[in-house]
Amino acid sequence: MKKERKSAPAWLEEGRSHVWHPYAQMQTMPPPLPVARTEGCRIVLADGKELIDGVSSWWSAVHGYNHPHLIEAAKAQLDTMPHVMFAGLAHEPAYTLAARLSRLTPGWGGEKSLKHVFFSDSGSTAVEVALKMALQYWNNTGKPRKDRFICLHRGYHGDTFGAMAVSDPERGMHKAFKKNVIMHYALEIPSGEYSFAEFAETLKDIAPQCAGLIMEPLVQGAGGMLFHSPDTLAEIHRLCHEHEVLFIADEIMTGFGRTGSMFACEEAGIIPDIMCVGKALTGGVTGLAATLATGAVYEAFLGDDPEKALMHGPTYMANPLACAVANASLDLFAREPRLEQAATIEAALHKGLRPLRQLSGVFDVRVKGAIGVVQLAPQYFSAEQFQQAFVERGVWVRPFGDIVYLMPPLTISPDELNTLICVVCEVITAWAQEVRQKVGYLFR
Ligand SMILES: Cc1ncc(COP(=O)(O)O)c(C=O)c1O
């Protein structure tokens, strides 16, 4: 029997003409789904319908929603001190978090440990801070002409101006601002015909003007969920060091278990000079990000000269509430088997999604850690229609570009994961049959 739909809540009607949604053509976008609450790995809509979350609220809710340990930490912190400014003042949640976070980073304990932590409030801001750090590092060490960055095709590092400038200049979502941002050097990741030798040659030529190279290690997220190997990552890192270019790892998406290790850089055995984290840092509860630097970078800012200091300080920097939740999230990583859960998800994604490769219009199926990607023929693909089909079947998956991807909470239950994968397979199989009919042959 069909369930009767409740009418839209009053707040939705009242706010509809006021609210501006992200990345959306407001005139044509389908009405957003009103959410009443979240629970475990589910989003509960105002009409009572439950959606299994396949994308962890933009890849942040690694422990699922409303994890009691995170909620308790937040409530306790709210009672004592929700916020206090961080200039000239110190508080336990931030100091504890900085020490704990450092200890978790790749290469901890060695000479090149990432032991200096600058907190901010979003991933984009953490990237801005990283870029500023790199520029000022060279300024402070007498090489001010190193004032450009190397970034990678298909890279995405956020929506603010500095971050846009180091994201893919051609294919990224910020094309409209191409003329408004500083031009940096965008290189292809070496693969196939574009060899490492060519990449190295270009890097060597531009290195004297470059403060740093920024990249998403192992998985480029918003640029299309593209993977490269740990060897590729290690070689790019090596070349940066050889040519005096700081290596900035943007682990905002990859960090905290998503690729199967705590941080993607670990898999390549590298220690970045600067590393950005955000998103899952608080387990998706509240905004917080951090930019970590090695001793060598940090020490370049020390001295008697106030001009050498890092001039940055967001109002909500190191927000105690967010830091307390982030500490609780790190407790969960220590106590609960998140990396094992990522490995289980990886195996299930491999097994469940692989058969899609045989279908018409399916160009690629790839899996890395708790990330599963199905790349489809763009000319027949409508992200909107796919999303609607997913919602009708009780899952929340947001395709973009030419891909359908899954990045579920690491705590997802086997049954929920199975449902998620089955629904994705069902919707893509139906679509592939239509493609085959339209094209008239098996099109891959
Ligand atoms: C790799 C990467 N860097 C930076 C950002 C920007 O983070 P935020 O949306 O928190 O500003 C994102 C967001 O998707 C990201 O995936």
Side-chain angles (χ1 to χ4, degrees):
M1 206 177 67
K2 243 186 165 182
K3 260 195 196 168
E4 206 177 302
R5 288 242 155 174
K6 287 185 196 160
S7 57
W11 55 260
L12 187 69
E13 293 306 325
E14 198 185 331
R16 199 190 287 279
S17 56
H18 299 285
V19 171
W20 207 331
H21 279 268
Y23 311 121
Q25 171 46 261
M26 293 302 292
Q27 193 170 311
T28 56
M29 103 177 212
L33 304 176
V35 179
R37 60 195 167 83
T38 50
E39 199 179 297
C41 297
R42 288 163 191 249
I43 296 169
V44 184
L45 301 183
D47 66 1
K49 185 177 173 105
E50 291 189 14
L51 303 178
I52 299 173
D53 188 353
V55 292
S56 310
S57 272
W58 269 334
W59 329 329
S60 61
V62 272
H63 314 290
Y65 297 100
N66 310 34
H67 193 293
H69 187 60
L70 303 187
I71 301 298
E72 273 161 32
K75 284 183 177 163
Q77 189 59 44
L78 269 176
D79 282 344
T80 47
M81 177 174 58
H83 184 64
V84 68
M85 66 187 286
F86 206 53
L89 299 174
H91 53 78
E92 185 276 330
Y95 272 55
T96 301
L97 179 61
R100 291 181 76 184
L101 202 51
S102 293
R103 288 201 292 270
L104 274 181
T105 55
W108 171 253
E111 205 185 303
K112 292 183 180 162
S113 299
L114 289 155
K115 57 179 182 191
H116 304 283
V117 183
F118 192 97
F119 288 113
S120 57
D121 37 22
S122 73
S124 302
T125 317
V127 167
E128 297 287 334
V129 172
L131 301 178
K132 261 171 131 171
M133 263 183 197
L135 289 172
Q136 209 174 337
Y137 168 84
W138 292 111
N139 241 333
N140 288 356
T141 54
K143 293 193 175 162
R145 291 178 63 187
K146 285 171 86 65
D147 64 356
R148 286 292 177 273
F149 287 93
I150 302 170
C151 53
L152 300 176
H153 288 193
R154 304 290 194 149
Y156 172 79
H157 299 286
D159 291 350
T160 51
F161 270 80
M164 284 199 293
V166 291
S167 299
D168 188 306
E170 301 295 338
R171 283 162 290 196
M173 62 177 102
H174 301 129
K175 285 192 288 272
F177 299 101
K178 215 172 129 186
K179 292 203 190 98
N180 309 100
V181 296
I182 292 178
M183 285 297 284
H184 297 296
Y185 296 100
L187 305 186
E188 193 86 52
I189 296 184
S191 87
E193 290 192 351
Y194 180 55
S195 69
F196 254 110
E198 259 179 278
F199 180 88
E201 197 62 31
T202 311
L203 194 142
K204 187 177 159 208
D205 286 348
I206 59 180
Q209 294 115 58
C210 291
L213 176 148
I214 181 162
M215 71 184 284
E216 295 150 275
L218 298 189
V219 181
Q220 293 183 297
M225 299 290 166
L226 298 160
F227 305 165
H228 52 265
S229 70
D231 286 350
T232 299
L233 174 58
E235 184 59 9
I236 295 176
H237 175 260
R238 190 191 66 74
L239 286 169
C240 286
H241 272 210
E242 188 176 317
H243 298 294
E244 282 204 316
V245 171
L246 294 177
F247 184 90
I248 305 168
D250 177 347
E251 291 253 17
I252 290 163
M253 185 204 78
T254 51
F256 302 102
R258 186 49 69 183
T259 63
S261 43
M262 198 60 180
F263 295 103
C265 285
E266 283 169 28
E267 292 182 46
I270 61 164
I271 307 173
D273 300 295
I274 298 173
M275 183 167 116
C276 305
V277 294
K279 289 193 184 280
L281 175 59
T282 62
V285 173
T286 182
L288 183 70
T291 309
L292 294 98
T294 59
V297 171
Y298 177 77
E299 278 150 30
F301 290 76
L302 305 181
D304 300 330
D305 184 357
E307 300 272 307
K308 280 196 167 183
L310 180 62
M311 297 312 265
H312 205 92
T315 304
Y316 287 102
M317 163 170 197
N319 169 246
L321 177 59
C323 290
V325 178
N327 277 313
S329 174
L330 296 190
D331 293 342
L332 294 180
F333 274 102
R335 264 187 226 164
E336 297 184 5
R338 292 290 174 267
L339 299 186
E340 287 82 350
Q341 288 167 323
T344 305
I345 294 171
E346 178 168 32
L349 290 173
H350 263 301
K351 189 162 173 257
L353 299 179
R354 200 188 302 129
L356 295 174
R357 252 189 216 163
Q358 311 308 321
L359 302 179
S360 219
V362 175
F363 285 1
D364 193 25
V365 175
R366 46 185 183 270
V367 173
K368 171 75 192 147
I371 308 172
V373 186
V374 187
Q375 191 172 338
L376 304 170
Q379 60 272 50
Y380 300 109
F381 179 73
S382 157
E384 236 166 60
Q385 280 170 12
F386 265 85
Q387 189 177 313
Q388 201 185 333
F390 291 138
V391 169
E392 279 163 13
R393 289 162 180 78
V395 305
W396 180 240
V397 175
R398 256 181 83 85
F400 70 89
D402 56 354
I403 60 165
V404 172
Y405 75 95
L406 292 177
M407 278 171 71
L410 300 179
T411 51
I412 193 162
S413 72
D415 278 353
E416 286 170 326
L417 183 58
N418 189 41
T419 305
L420 206 50
I421 293 172
C422 287
V423 166
V424 164
C425 289
E426 184 191 320
V427 171
I428 292 179
T429 304
W431 170 85
Q433 276 161 2
E434 279 173 34
V435 171
R436 175 139 199 184
Q437 271 167 10
K438 266 188 212 144
V439 180
Y441 56 90
L442 184 64
F443 167 60
R444 278 197 254 135

